[in-house]
Amino acid sequence: MIFKTRFAPSPTGPLHLGHAYSAMLAHDLAEAEDGQFLLRIEDIDRSRSRAHWEDQIYDDLQWLGLRWPEPVLRQSDRLVAYDKALDELWTRGLLYPCTCNRKDIAAAASAPQEGVPLHGPDGIVYPGTCRAKWQPKLADGPRPKDIPLRLDMAVAGKFLLNAAQADAVVGSFQEDGAGPNGETGAIAFTLDELTETIGDVVLSRRDMGTSYHLSVVLDDAAQGITHVIRGQDLFEATRIHVVLQVLLGLPTPRYLHHRLIRDDAGKRLAKRDDARAISKYRAEGATPVGIRALVGL
Ligand code: GLU
């Protein structure tokens, strides 16, 4: 099996040193394994994606010395595949529509009987308000398109585990790097952990018709990715990705979550940290070798 990895930036701002580290690490590892390094443009957020940021991504990565096969996959060209997967999940009764906004969720999650709201990979763990109101018989009808859809994690658990036993392992993946708390090796999780620490995540967002989680899983499979190399900030989301892979009958790649590049105050870099933008270093006369040294490669 050929080693295949990818770098998957969103064209919503300039690439910074953290992106450079992630992309170069993946490129180096693919080269060392005689494998393939792919570039994928994650532009499902149409309100924030810009063509000029996409152009800048190609330009910065080429300047860093990275090469990838063409054509580059762009998520905005994959909406039909995302639709198909959502239809399948809908038909199997795994999704329900949700009309809550952020304020509703925060209020319901911090209601006195709920205690302190728990935070998962997508923010507050959804307290299930719309699930409780949901009439499953409607799942026989067509999937609603203009409303967010959540994955019913308890129902998903039943698909993952034939006889649902809440304390049994429902999924696992191989971590070749480490999570934020040093988690490494075989990472297994139970249905209880999923429902308590992740909950019913949104798989179809109102103005995207998909979500990061669904798209990334479908695209990694469609591109035959064997090794996902990405920042530690996505370690927690990996359990969601494994659940979706199992539900949709897709292979689970190996994962390598790497350390995050931080600023002098120890804060992880964000798109708005223009000071760390690769383009800024370039304009100031930095070299690709200098960038490597800066990020410790
Ligand atoms: N598009 C994501 C980002 O820019 C990365 C997705 C991934 O590597 O799984 O943070």
Side-chain angles (χ1 to χ4, degrees):
M1 185 174 58
I2 183 167
F3 180 108
K4 234 187 199 191
T5 190
R6 67 356 179 235
F7 177 58
S10 301
T12 54
L15 293 188
H16 55 58
L17 284 184
H19 296 107
Y21 174 63
S22 196
M24 290 191 293
L25 179 68
H27 195 266
D28 287 359
L29 291 174
E31 208 164 65
E33 297 289 335
D34 232 348
Q36 246 190 354
F37 168 85
L38 306 185
L39 176 62
R40 180 167 78 223
I41 300 295
E42 302 215 319
D43 59 349
I44 46 173
D45 187 346
R46 304 310 291 161
S47 66
R48 292 171 60 226
S49 296
R50 297 286 178 273
H52 71 272
W53 291 129
E54 186 175 330
D55 292 341
Q56 181 83 47
I57 289 172
Y58 300 135
D59 199 49
D60 282 343
L61 295 179
Q62 262 159 12
W63 177 81
L64 284 168
L66 310 193
R67 299 292 177 264
W68 53 86
E70 299 281 350
V72 166
L73 187 96
R74 299 165 79 239
Q75 290 192 321
S76 51
D77 292 331
R78 295 263 300 147
L79 301 181
V80 172
Y82 308 149
D83 257 2
K84 228 179 112 209
L86 285 168
D87 281 341
E88 181 187 331
L89 296 171
W90 174 260
T91 310
R92 289 160 69 193
L94 282 154
L95 304 176
Y96 64 86
C98 177
T99 51
C100 295
N101 59 30
R102 272 174 213 271
K103 250 167 79 190
D104 299 332
I105 296 171
S110 55
Q113 68 277 19
E114 302 288 343
V116 183
L118 261 168
H119 283 256
D122 286 348
I124 294 178
V125 173
Y126 184 61
T129 323
C130 285
R131 187 197 332 114
K133 289 190 285 195
W134 176 230
Q135 304 285 311
K137 61 180 184 306
L138 294 181
D140 297 339
R143 172 170 63 89
K145 298 278 165 87
D146 50 357
I147 195 167
L149 299 174
R150 289 184 179 273
L151 175 67
D152 189 326
M153 203 53 101
V155 174
K158 291 190 188 133
F159 278 95
L160 301 181
L161 194 73
N162 285 336
Q165 298 163 312
D167 60 345
V169 165
V170 288
S172 65
F173 64 95
Q174 189 63 32
E175 175 60 54
D176 293 333
N181 300 309
E183 304 92 332
T184 192
I187 310 286
F189 47 87
T190 64
L191 182 55
D192 270 358
E193 282 169 336
L194 286 179
T195 50
E196 281 163 22
T197 64
I198 290 183
D200 297 351
V201 286
V202 173
L203 290 190
S204 181
R205 299 198 168 273
R206 190 191 303 277
D207 35 8
M208 288 186 199
T210 180
S211 59
Y212 157 65
H213 301 302
L214 182 73
S215 301
V216 87
V217 158
L218 290 171
D219 292 349
D220 283 339
Q223 295 193 288
I225 300 301
T226 61
H227 292 72
V228 171
I229 298 164
R230 61 185 181 192
Q232 254 167 16
D233 51 325
L234 291 169
F235 176 81
E236 295 297 337
T238 308
R239 287 176 294 166
I240 304 170
H241 301 170
V242 173
V243 167
L244 290 176
Q245 285 151 2
V246 177
L247 290 176
L248 295 166
L250 305 172
T252 294
R254 293 177 79 100
Y255 287 87
L256 189 160
H257 291 93
H258 59 68
R259 66 186 163 86
L260 301 177
I261 304 293
R262 299 180 182 278
D263 64 13
D264 298 336
K267 222 174 101 264
R268 96 179 154 90
L269 302 184
K271 283 258 166 64
R272 55 192 173 279
D273 285 322
D274 281 4
R276 312 285 162 151
I278 300 170
S279 50
K280 181 116 192 299
Y281 286 93
R282 289 175 65 179
E284 288 167 357
T287 62
V289 172
I291 301 283
R292 279 188 173 269
L294 266 178
V295 297
L297 268 178

